[in-house]
Amino acid sequence: MSANPTTPRVAVVGGGVAGLVAAMRLARGGVRVTLLEGSPRIGGKLQVSEVAGLPVDEGAEAMLARRPEALELVRELGHGDALVHPGTTSAAILSHGALRPLPSGQVMGVPSDLRALAAAQVLSPTGLARVPLDLVLPETPRGDDVSVADFIGARMGREVVDRLVEPLLGGVYAGRADRLSFESTLPAVAAAARGERSLINAVKEIRAKAPADPGPVFATLNTGLGTLPHLIADAVTGAGGEIRTAATVRELRRTPSGWRLTVGSARDPEALDADAVVIACPAPPAARLLAHEVPAAARELERIETASMAIVTLAYPASAFRRAPRGSGYLVPAVEGRQVKAVTFSSVKWPHLRDRDPGIIVARASIGRIGEEHTLQRSDDELKAAAMTELAVTCGVAELPVESRVTRWGGALPQYDVGHADRVARIRSAVAGQPGLAVAGAAYDGLGVPAVIANARSAAGRILEYLESRGETNDGHAREAEGARP
Ligand SMILES: Cc1cc2nc3c(=O)[nH]c(=O)nc-3n(C[C@H](O)[C@H](O)[C@H](O)COP(=O)(O)OP(=O)(O)OC[C@H]3O[C@@H](n4cnc5c(N)ncnc54)[C@H](O)[C@@H]3O)c2cc1C
């Protein structure tokens, strides 16, 4: 397909990593692409800004390196030399007021090595004694899906859920184990547990199958992961695509030949016609956009709840830490009753930050879980105070930070509740019934950056296939233009 006025036009709604990747694939596939981002800046949850002169991410900061999509994308964009890996991935967990190492042998908090679990001292003696019952209990029925807490609690006891699994899942979803889907949030564990009565043995199996030297788990860009959207945007415009910011899409309607989008303010709306549309925005706006033309999908999207959180970034002189931060950070189980749910020692985790200024230690504290929206109604100063208190208690930091930043992420993390996979299947099937429409983004098949890249690519692929089939089988655009002549 060549880029002339008769070339099909595709509108992409949302300029996060999903929309940008979809736009890149479409622009490189030869269609005319217009990406519409509602806010003044592209990137969505990928944003970076300077704190104490260092490029520190405001949202997502690490890409899983054991899935290929994100690293391949960075290399494909010609920036492979900017990829860096964590200096350490050893993390701790707060338990009964003290930091303990995460037990070795666990997968997303689900333990497989009882000796390592005992040595870590994360569980109470009673909680620890409950875990090996998993080896003798009969099979736990689970139907198509079950909550993380119901299944793991039944096999290993509630303490494993509260003190290990929920904090680890909390880092990804800010969600509650009582509601999160076992199948969708722990897919590898859930799959292994289908063929194995004991959960301990299922996790052992996963670990046994892992390659001996799997390489680094995570990667980022030495300029901050928040620079990735700009690299993708360059590829979009380089391939002839158009990117518009401050362009909120308010309505989506079918037309005889495709779609009409209403863009901009209610007072000064603009109509944009497209042959096909990729909706790459979070579930709540996606539901609003689909409400008229695909109500079945909109109803399902409305049911995907989202959690809000804030990231407080604090930069201290290294000398302020009376106890030097060890490891990449730590997780705080909700049962500990603290305001902060996780702390990342960015300067320890990412050597490129430490090397740029060894005299500064940057820490990022996460605050807020699903159902705790009131926490985020507090002022920036109150959130900073909560993070500073946390570091004072765990690391003996008694000074004020040299610089700080509060980033609020309202409704940022979709919750994959029990039945999520079926819900996504229903959304996809309703959307597939509409020619020239696709959805992409974190609401569907994984909210990590590589998973989002993968689903955005396939959404764009489906649109390209649709346009090609229309060109071959229908009076496509070129023929439509010719058809204007008698
Ligand atoms: C604090 C935080 C930390 C995270 N950390 C990590 C991490 O370390 N590693 C990891 O892999 N993942 C992490 N994630 C998850 C990951 O960042 C996201 O799942 C992913 O970036 C989502 O991309 P997206 O394009 O689907 O959505 P978004 O990034 O939300 O982008 C959607 C875009 O759509 C726009 N939009 C919405 N409505 C409209 C409309 N009507 N018209 C036009 N535009 C609209 C929005 O303004 C936004 O820019 C984190 C998320 C958060 C919030």
Side-chain angles (χ1 to χ4, degrees), residues 13-19 36-39 41 43-46 58-63 247-249 280-282 285 289 309 311 364 409 412-413 441-442 447-450 452:
V13 184
V17 68
L36 301 151
E37 163 55 43
S39 77
R41 56 185 193 176
K45 311 303 183 307
L46 269 57
E58 301 193 31
E61 48 127 35
M63 306 179 284
T248 302
V249 180
C281 54
L289 288 176
M309 61 180 294
I311 301 276
R364 290 193 349 154
W409 292 108
L413 296 165
L447 46 81
V449 170
V452 171

Side-chain angles (χ1 to χ4, degrees), residues 51-131:
V51 178
L54 299 169
V56 187
D57 281 299
E58 301 193 31
E61 48 127 35
M63 306 179 284
L64 194 60
R66 296 205 179 141
R67 276 188 70 146
E69 297 89 346
L71 272 58
E72 275 175 15
L73 172 66
V74 173
R75 293 192 183 111
E76 185 189 329
L77 293 167
H79 294 271
D81 53 354
L83 285 169
V84 286
H85 300 286
T88 171
T89 47
S90 80
I93 198 147
L94 192 81
S95 187
H96 304 286
L99 288 182
R100 327 262 183 193
L102 260 182
S104 56
Q106 53 81 30
V107 170
M108 281 307 275
V110 188
S112 68
D113 181 338
L114 295 172
R115 225 175 266 178
L117 182 63
Q121 297 184 322
V122 176
L123 304 186
S124 71
T126 321
L128 187 64
R130 169 65 179 81
V131 181

